[in-house]
Amino acid sequence: MKKSDLGPESINEGRRRLLKMGALGTAGVAVGASAGGIILSPEAQAALPKVSTQARIVIAGAGAAGLSLASRLSERLDGAKITLIDARKAHWYQPGFTLVASGVKGQNYPVTTTAEYVPKNVELIEEFVAEFDPEGKSVTTASGKKLEYDYLLVTTGLKLDYEAIEGMDTSLIGTNGVGSIYQSPEAAFKTWQLLDKFADTGGEAVFMRPATEMKCAGAPLKYTFLTRDHLYRRGNLSKANLTFHAQTNNLFSVPIVSEKLRMLFEERGVNVKYNHVLSGIDPGRKMAYFNTQGEGRVEVPYDFINVVPPMRAADAVRNSSLPWQDGPWAADGWIEVDPTNLRHKRFPNIFAVGDVAGVPKGKTAASVKWQVPVVVDHLIADIQGKQGTAIYDGYTSCPMITQLGRAMLIEFDYHNNLVPSFPGVIAPLEELWVTWIIKTIGLKPTYISMLRGQA
């Protein structure tokens, strides 16, 4: 899609609508019912008196959650020693990967640097955490540096476990029809180059999601829609066969959304296979292998495949005593926290925010935006000897792109309730131009503001 396809008048109108909705969404000091409690606006928070403390606070991970927490805490606390630990110098706006992989944005669109978002009074240690010792209240970095803490905020994100797929290696991305949008901006761009060629030739396109929890579960679905739309716009839809392989018997965890997506796939000729989990690929044969219920292991040929790997907690987290000891989140190492405030159930001086938290929903940047103020509220209250009051009820947002220029703004909570931010303005299950504008123009500036503690 070229920029000229949109047209300046349409873009300007979209921006006007977006600004109008932004005014609606930021009015007042409370965020509304979706957070389950009162959370002050950035302006109101800035007016709060600083809390004096000598607390040592370690934040393990400088992604969206870690940087947002560092910014908010540095603003609210006076005298605290805040240390942020992460080896990766580049910061990736991961919601932009799908846009890169569909040719809407360039390869560098998601890329900035971690350092530019770190507050001046926060120390950044450019290493990974190699060991967590909750009992000893310390972490150890990859070089052997040991840091003791009074409070630990675990924001390590997750591990993309490509190694769990037989025959898969990240070096394959961009070759032999093997795409994968998650691994990096470069991988997303290589996947776009494959899609660009596929849209001219057609063939068998294979899409899926893993059987594990995953970040932005809507991304594989929206990428299926985008692939289909590129084929349609080039007049090659009849030359292609698109199949989405769902890991369970539904397409989405929210039943009403799952049914809407099923109807859209059926309407647009996208095949769906349920209870299919990718177990391996053979790039030379262009063959994918899926484990199924009832059929055993099946072979599926492809000309283009978007590989979505299993996702788990980072090894250092999984090898510690932080994860759930039993239940659905134990095997992959998700951290055992109270879902309403993200505080660890066994170590009350530890919180987990973002992808690594073992909660029913919430592995999106939108979830981080709502989780961070809740954790800040409880941590500062604890420093003051009080009880925090803010509640996180699982708010998650997914701008579900269904075609180039149209998307649905799907927002929901732990209980699968739809919780629209703009009731009466944006219908959550309608394919709207304005939602496309929010996704492609409006969300990144909001995200950057979140990193700086201003959203």
Side-chain angles (χ1 to χ4, degrees):
M1 184 179 64
K2 301 176 181 178
K3 292 183 179 178
S4 59
D5 293 338
L6 299 177
E9 293 183 2
S10 296
I11 291 176
N12 289 335
E13 175 60 23
R15 284 175 173 158
R16 283 193 292 271
R17 293 181 187 177
L18 181 63
L19 289 171
K20 183 177 179 181
M21 286 190 300
L24 291 171
T26 56
V29 298
V31 298
S34 61
I38 299 300
I39 297 177
L40 300 179
S41 68
E43 294 79 10
Q45 290 189 60
L48 292 173
K50 286 199 171 189
V51 175
S52 295
T53 179
Q54 298 296 312
R56 299 165 299 173
I57 301 172
V58 169
I59 304 173
L67 288 169
S68 300
L69 283 164
S71 294
R72 292 227 178 199
L73 290 172
S74 67
E75 187 66 32
R76 289 293 316 278
L77 299 177
D78 182 19
K81 178 176 175 53
I82 303 173
T83 306
L84 185 62
I85 308 174
D86 201 317
R88 195 170 70 194
K89 297 181 185 300
H91 180 82
W92 295 341
Y93 171 60
Q94 295 184 54
F97 284 13
T98 306
L99 299 178
V100 173
S102 55
V104 177
K105 300 290 186 181
Q107 179 177 330
N108 293 326
Y109 170 72
V111 183
T112 51
T113 65
T114 297
E116 66 190 88
Y117 305 113
V118 179
K120 292 182 180 178
N121 55 343
V122 172
E123 179 186 8
L124 174 62
I125 297 178
E126 294 184 318
E127 296 186 54
F128 289 120
V129 173
E131 181 181 350
F132 291 92
D133 181 7
E135 292 82 3
K137 297 183 180 179
S138 70
V139 299
T140 303
T141 68
S143 70
K145 183 182 296 184
K146 183 177 180 179
L147 290 91
E148 296 182 339
Y149 59 78
D150 298 302
Y151 295 95
L152 172 65
L153 305 175
V154 186
T155 55
T156 49
L158 52 72
K159 173 183 177 180
L160 302 173
D161 196 0
Y162 285 98
E163 294 81 5
I165 303 171
E166 179 187 341
M168 179 61 193
D169 185 275
T170 54
S171 65
L172 296 172
I173 298 173
T175 67
N176 292 312
V178 178
S180 185
I181 68 175
Y182 277 103
Q183 197 259 342
S184 66
E186 181 184 9
F189 183 70
K190 288 180 178 179
T191 303
W192 159 241
Q193 292 177 312
L194 292 177
L195 170 55
D196 191 30
K197 294 178 182 177
F198 178 77
D200 285 334
T201 61
E204 295 286 337
V206 173
F207 306 90
M208 84 290 293
R209 63 149 291 173
T212 63
E213 299 290 325
M214 64 175 292
K215 65 175 70 188
C216 191
L221 295 156
K222 67 182 75 172
Y223 199 58
T224 307
F225 282 118
L226 284 163
T227 300
R228 187 259 180 201
D229 205 40
H230 275 293
L231 287 159
Y232 170 76
R233 288 167 180 258
R234 299 189 195 186
N236 293 325
L237 194 56
S238 62
K239 299 178 182 178
N241 186 51
L242 282 67
T243 305
F244 186 88
H245 298 259
Q247 87 288 6
T248 61
N249 60 359
N250 59 60
L251 291 170
F252 205 80
S253 64
V254 181
I256 191 172
V257 177
S258 181
E259 178 60 15
K260 175 67 176 183
L261 293 170
R262 186 199 65 77
M263 293 170 62
L264 288 175
F265 273 167
E266 182 178 25
E267 173 189 305
R268 292 169 195 182
V270 176
N271 304 307
V272 178
K273 297 286 187 180
Y274 295 102
N275 298 303
H276 278 55
V277 177
L278 183 70
S279 60
I281 63 168
D282 184 339
R285 296 179 60 212
K286 287 193 172 181
M287 192 71 67
Y289 305 99
F290 285 85
N291 293 332
T292 72
Q293 287 187 5
E295 300 178 64
R297 196 184 200 214
V298 298
E299 293 187 349
V300 178
Y302 66 83
D303 297 290
F304 173 60
I305 184 171
N306 178 40
V307 174
V308 184
M311 302 186 193
R312 317 182 197 283
D315 290 344
V317 173
R318 294 180 68 194
N319 295 330
S320 73
S321 55
L322 291 173
W324 284 90
Q325 305 300 293
D326 52 37
W329 302 302
D332 294 319
W334 309 118
I335 295 180
E336 183 180 5
V337 294
D338 182 326
T340 65
N341 59 26
L342 293 310
R343 186 193 290 266
H344 202 284
K345 285 179 168 286
R346 289 175 282 114
F347 305 105
N349 64 331
I350 297 176
F351 295 83
V353 186
D355 294 347
V356 76
V359 295
K361 314 280 187 188
K363 296 191 190 318
T364 69
S367 301
V368 168
K369 182 176 182 289
W370 294 100
Q371 291 173 353
V372 165
V374 171
V375 169
V376 169
D377 174 82
H378 283 267
L379 191 153
I380 291 178
D382 197 83
I383 287 174
Q384 296 176 305
K386 302 176 182 179
Q387 292 288 329
T389 58
I391 296 172
Y392 174 65
D393 73 350
Y395 175 87
T396 304
S397 174
C398 177
M400 179 66 70
I401 299 171
T402 55
Q403 55 185 297
L404 293 163
R406 293 289 186 272
M408 302 184 296
L409 185 56
I410 300 168
E411 302 166 279
F412 52 96
D413 63 16
Y414 282 143
H415 305 291
N416 293 329
N417 298 311
L418 296 181
V419 286
S421 293
F422 310 105
V425 180
I426 297 181
L429 297 181
E430 287 190 21
E431 301 172 80
L432 301 173
W433 161 252
V434 70
T435 306
W436 167 264
I437 291 295
I438 289 174
K439 171 63 179 176
T440 57
I441 298 177
L443 288 186
K444 187 179 179 183
T446 300
Y447 175 91
I448 298 300
S449 294
M450 178 184 78
L451 298 185
R452 300 188 187 282
Q454 300 167 352

